[in-house]
């Protein structure tokens, strides 16, 4: 199955991806974890451009670079892994495009839906865990991680992080709209719970999957 994690920077996605990977592997499943953008040699170079470039990128340029990275990853890695029967856990997928480039940067949502469809070849997650956190709390986490004093526009922050608090507020509202529009796919989780509590909620959502696999392997 294809499982994705979403949420603004610092929400705890990578933490939960690692915990879930371990849990699924313990129940006998093959698991591949990937982060977006990246995951192939070409896509990793696009990642560097997007996150580390000092040059300004236009919003449409940014959109298409993310889409190019995603198309690479879907066709070369995700599809083949799913076809082999592996689980794939993605740290961000097309909902990030809708939230960041759409609601955050203000690009046309219909255009984004079309670009997302092209970049994913129509592939949709079976389940998405959205970790909800305020931009203020997420920045506190990031700053304490980097041992920086709390100040915005620090040069230590990467290009995406330096877009400012207002931007992250729009992105978060975007995620809320995306989530409430697709309640069957997207599980909304309070990211201020402890990592263990969040993991438990995630495991419970996947209970049938995890138990079925356990039975098969025993
Ligand atoms: N539930 C939690 N409660 C408190 N701190 C947490 C929680 N989950 C993760 N953290 C801490 O918050 C920081 C950010 O977590 P993590 O890297 O998992 O977030 P992320 O969503 O992957 O961020 P990014 O989008 O920047 O990759 C880390 O220092 C992590 O240890
Ligand atoms: Mg992360």
């Amino acid at each position: 199955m294809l499982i994705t994690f979403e949420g603004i920077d610092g929400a705890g996605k990578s933490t939960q991806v690692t915990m879930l990977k371990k849990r699924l592997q313990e129940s006998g499943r093959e698991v591949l974890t990937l982060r977006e953008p990246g995951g192939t040699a070409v896509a990793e170079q696009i990642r560097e451009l997007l996150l580390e470039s000092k040059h300004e990128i236009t919003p449409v340029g940014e959109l298409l670079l993310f889409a190019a990275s995603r198309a690479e990853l879907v066709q070369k890695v995700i599809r083949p892994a799913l076809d082999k029967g592996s689980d794939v856990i993605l740290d961000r997928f097309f909902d990030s495009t809708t939230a960041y480039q759409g609601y955050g940067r203000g690009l046309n949502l219909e255009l984004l839906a079309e670009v997302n469809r092209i970049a994913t070849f129509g592939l949709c997650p079976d389940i998405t865990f959205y970790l909800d956190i305020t931009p203020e709390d997420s920045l506190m986490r990031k700053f304490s991680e980097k041992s920086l004093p709390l100040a915005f526009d620090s040069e230590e922050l990467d290009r995406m992080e330096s877009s400012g608090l207002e931007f992250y507020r729009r992105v978060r509202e975007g995620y809320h709209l995306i989530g409430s529009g697709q309640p069957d796919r997207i599980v909304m989780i309070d990211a201020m719970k402890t990592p263990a509590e969040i993991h438990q909620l995630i495991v419970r959502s996947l209970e049938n999957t995890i138990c079925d696999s356990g039975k098969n392997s025993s």
Side-chain angles (χ1 to χ4, degrees), residues 179-218:
S180 53
Q182 298 173 69
D184 291 342
R185 170 170 70 89
I186 302 175
V187 181
M188 313 264 271
I189 297 176
D190 176 3
M192 295 306 282
K193 293 180 187 293
T194 67
E197 284 171 334
I198 295 170
H199 178 64
Q200 273 315 310
L201 288 171
I202 289 168
V203 167
R204 223 172 289 149
S205 303
L206 294 170
E207 213 148 53
N208 291 336
T209 309
I210 295 174
C211 289
D212 286 346
S213 168
K215 274 180 213 144
N216 291 342
S217 63
S218 64

Side-chain angles (χ1 to χ4, degrees), residues 142-203:
K142 299 298 278 188
F143 274 99
S144 63
E145 211 176 33
K146 291 174 180 171
S147 307
L148 286 173
L150 195 56
F152 298 107
D153 300 325
S154 162
E155 283 179 15
E156 294 282 331
L157 296 174
D158 73 22
R159 208 179 57 80
M160 298 297 279
E161 287 169 340
S162 64
S163 302
L165 211 52
E166 269 310 314
F167 173 75
Y168 282 95
R169 290 206 182 100
R170 293 196 298 274
V171 173
R172 183 180 183 222
E173 277 165 28
Y175 270 128
H176 289 176
L177 290 169
I178 297 165
S180 53
Q182 298 173 69
D184 291 342
R185 170 170 70 89
I186 302 175
V187 181
M188 313 264 271
I189 297 176
D190 176 3
M192 295 306 282
K193 293 180 187 293
T194 67
E197 284 171 334
I198 295 170
H199 178 64
Q200 273 315 310
L201 288 171
I202 289 168
V203 167

Side-chain angles (χ1 to χ4, degrees), residues 4 101 198:
T4 65
Q101 276 70 49
I198 295 170

Side-chain angles (χ1 to χ4, degrees), residues 27-93:
S27 70
R29 302 176 72 96
E30 281 285 326
V31 187
L32 180 66
T33 56
L34 299 160
R35 86 189 157 173
E36 275 223 321
T40 71
V42 171
E44 286 296 330
Q45 290 193 357
I46 298 173
R47 181 186 180 90
E48 274 179 37
L49 260 177
L50 280 166
L51 301 185
E52 281 151 39
S53 173
K54 299 286 181 224
H55 304 292
E56 196 177 325
I57 305 173
T58 62
V60 174
E62 183 182 76
L63 169 70
L64 295 176
L65 283 171
F66 271 110
S69 160
R70 182 166 303 143
E72 277 281 303
L73 190 65
V74 168
Q75 208 167 10
K76 288 184 182 159
V77 186
I78 300 175
R79 256 292 162 219
L82 291 172
D83 289 346
K84 257 188 14 203
S86 291
D87 289 323
V88 177
I89 307 178
L90 297 180
D91 195 331
R92 298 193 177 284
F93 200 39

